[in-house]
Amino acid sequence: MNQQLSFDLMFTILHVVSAKTAGKPKTDKLDQFSYHYRNHDFESQSKLKMQSLIIRKPPNYYRVSEGDFYTGDYYKVDKRIDSVEYAPDVFAHLRELDNISTNELKNKLGPDVAENIARIKKAGEGMGKSGSFFFSCYDDSLLIKTMPEDDFTAFMKLLPHYFEHVNTYRKSLLARIYGIYQVKLEGMNPVFLILMGSVKQIGDQYVKRVYDLKGSTVKREVFHVNDEGKKEADGEDYFKATDILKDLNLKKLMEKEIILKFDKADQNAILAEMFRSVTLLNMHNLMDYSLLFCVSYNPKYVSLHPEKFHRVNGRYVLKTEHVEHNLKEA
C-alpha cells in the first residue's frame, strides 16, 4: 500500500470511529442489561456511505515538515467510503459502563486533534500492504487496531457472552472492547477494526516493568542483546520500561526482589477473576491469551515523596535505581 492510500485509510478510520459512532444504551439502569438486549441487538449494524471526506487541519497545528500530508488547511480523501458499525447499542452500553461518551471519542480519537497528528503520521507510515495498523490516542487511554476477518467472526460469536460477563463482573480482567467496525475505501479491500480501552490502568510515567504472562516457561524469556549481537541472560537492567517481558524474566526478577505482596483476600479475588475469564474464553475454544502484568510506582507515593525520584525520559525512577543503572552503563 502506498503512503497516500495509507493516510487516506488512517484519516477515514479515525473519522468514522470518532465522529460517526452511533448507538445509545437501551436503559439508564445499566445493571438491568439482561432485560433490554436481545439477539437482534448483537446482530444489528449501522451503515454509512460517503462520497469523499475532508478533514480540517487543527487550528493550533503549525508544523509543516517534509512529507506533511495536508494540502493547505485540509486533508481530502477523494474516494467513496463505506463503513459499518456492528452492534452499536451494545457497545454504547459498554462505553457507558466506563463513562466514555461520544464526545470523549471525538476529543481523543479525532483526526483533527493536534495532539494526534504525530501518531497518525507514524501509524500511516507503518501500515503494511494489508492495511494493518495500530493507533493509540495521544493519552494512550483508547486504541484502534485492525483485526483479521477470522478474529472478527470469532469475536462476534463471543460478543453476547462477553457483554454479559463484563456487565456482571465489573472487575473482570478481560480487555475492554468499545466498538467493532468495518471500513472500505473505493478500490480497496474492507478493513475490520476494534476499538479498545488501554489494558494498563496507570500512566506510562509510573511504569517500571511490563510482563506478558502465559503461565509457561517454554520460550517465555526476552533476552537483552549486547553490542556484539549476543544474548545476555541477565539483562534486566537494560530493558526499557515499555519493553514487554515474559514469564522467565519475571521469575528472575523475583529471585532478586519481592514484588508480589498480595494478602490472601486479594490473591483469592484475582484468582477468581482469572478463572471466570478463562472459563469464558474456553467456552469459545479461544486459547491464545495472556495476562498483562504491570509493575509500577504508586502515584500517591510519588506525589508525597518527590525527592526520592528522578524523571528519566519522562518516567519516574527511584534515585537509588537511577544511580545503579548509570554505574552498570559506565
Side-chain angles (χ1 to χ4, degrees):
M1 181 183 297
N2 65 44
Q3 200 161 95
Q4 179 67 51
L5 286 175
S6 295
F7 287 129
D8 282 354
L9 185 58
M10 273 298 309
F11 275 99
T12 301
I13 287 170
L14 292 180
H15 176 74
V16 167
V17 175
S18 67
K20 299 301 180 181
T21 290
K24 293 182 179 180
K26 300 187 72 174
T27 171
D28 293 332
K29 298 179 179 179
L30 298 179
D31 58 332
Q32 295 183 9
F33 64 93
S34 61
Y35 299 104
H36 297 272
Y37 293 90
R38 297 292 182 262
N39 289 339
H40 69 272
D41 294 305
F42 296 96
E43 298 168 357
S44 66
Q45 300 177 7
S46 175
K47 297 183 178 181
L48 175 69
K49 293 181 181 293
M50 296 180 282
Q51 292 303 313
S52 62
L53 173 65
I54 293 178
I55 303 294
R56 299 290 178 183
K57 180 189 285 189
N60 53 341
Y61 176 72
Y62 301 105
R63 181 175 61 82
V64 178
S65 61
E66 182 180 354
D68 193 1
F69 34 60
Y70 291 104
T71 301
D73 293 330
Y74 63 89
Y75 184 96
K76 184 174 183 180
V77 180
D78 196 13
K79 294 179 178 65
R80 189 177 68 251
I81 299 165
D82 295 281
S83 69
V84 182
E85 179 187 359
Y86 296 92
D89 292 342
V90 170
F91 285 111
H93 180 107
L94 292 176
R95 292 192 298 272
E96 186 78 12
L97 283 178
D98 291 335
N99 299 312
I100 297 174
S101 66
T102 52
N103 281 335
E104 186 169 352
L105 294 184
K106 292 178 182 178
N107 294 335
K108 290 192 173 183
L109 292 169
D112 55 354
V113 176
E115 294 85 350
N116 282 335
I117 300 303
R119 295 186 176 213
I120 291 173
K121 192 168 186 179
K122 182 178 179 180
E125 290 172 346
M127 211 176 269
K129 291 182 180 180
S130 64
S132 62
F133 84 105
F134 175 97
F135 177 84
S136 180
C137 69
Y138 63 86
D139 68 353
D140 294 315
S141 61
L142 296 169
L143 61 92
I144 305 170
K145 64 179 182 177
T146 48
M147 60 193 308
E149 188 170 357
D150 288 348
D151 288 355
F152 162 78
T153 301
F155 182 77
M156 294 309 291
K157 290 180 180 178
L158 168 68
L159 180 57
H161 290 127
Y162 171 86
F163 178 79
E164 182 176 4
H165 178 94
V166 172
N167 274 279
T168 304
Y169 306 109
R170 296 296 299 121
K171 293 184 178 181
S172 171
L173 299 177
L174 292 177
R176 295 302 189 265
I177 311 299
Y178 297 132
I180 299 291
Y181 307 81
Q182 181 193 126
V183 170
K184 184 182 185 307
L185 293 186
E186 181 181 355
M188 295 177 60
N189 293 325
V191 175
F192 291 97
L193 307 157
I194 184 168
L195 169 64
M196 304 175 61
S198 173
V199 291
K200 288 187 290 185
Q201 301 299 312
I202 194 166
D204 281 350
Q205 68 269 32
Y206 299 107
V207 172
K208 183 178 179 180
R209 285 284 181 265
V210 182
Y211 297 89
D212 178 273
L213 305 177
K214 288 185 178 293
S216 171
T217 59
V218 179
K219 297 182 180 180
R220 296 300 297 168
E221 183 171 9
V222 177
F223 293 92
H224 170 70
V225 179
N226 63 25
D227 293 337
E228 298 176 356
K230 295 181 179 179
K231 293 180 179 180
E232 294 183 351
D234 191 14
E236 176 75 21
D237 295 309
Y238 296 95
F239 290 116
K240 298 177 183 178
T242 52
D243 289 338
I244 308 297
L245 307 181
K246 297 182 180 180
D247 302 68
L248 289 177
N249 297 103
L250 178 60
K251 183 179 179 181
K252 288 184 177 181
L253 176 62
M254 291 174 60
E255 292 171 355
K256 303 176 185 177
E257 180 183 350
I258 300 175
I259 61 170
L260 301 178
K261 301 178 181 178
F262 300 113
D263 61 30
K264 196 65 177 177
D266 286 339
Q267 289 180 37
N268 291 337
I270 293 170
L271 289 172
E273 289 295 345
M274 291 176 65
F275 178 79
R276 284 192 283 262
S277 297
V278 170
T279 300
L280 172 62
L281 297 173
N282 184 54
M283 283 173 54
H284 291 266
N285 296 317
L286 299 175
M287 297 179 61
D288 188 16
Y289 51 82
S290 56
L291 176 71
L292 190 74
F293 177 62
C294 182
V295 182
S296 65
Y297 300 111
N298 188 319
K300 291 183 180 179
Y301 183 84
V302 173
S303 64
L304 290 172
H305 303 283
E307 74 283 356
K308 295 185 179 182
F309 293 87
H310 285 295
R311 290 296 291 269
V312 179
N313 296 325
R315 301 176 187 277
Y316 289 102
V317 179
L318 276 173
K319 288 184 177 180
T320 53
E321 294 176 350
H322 184 53
V323 171
E324 290 173 0
H325 183 72
N326 286 342
L327 287 174
K328 289 186 178 182
E329 286 188 335

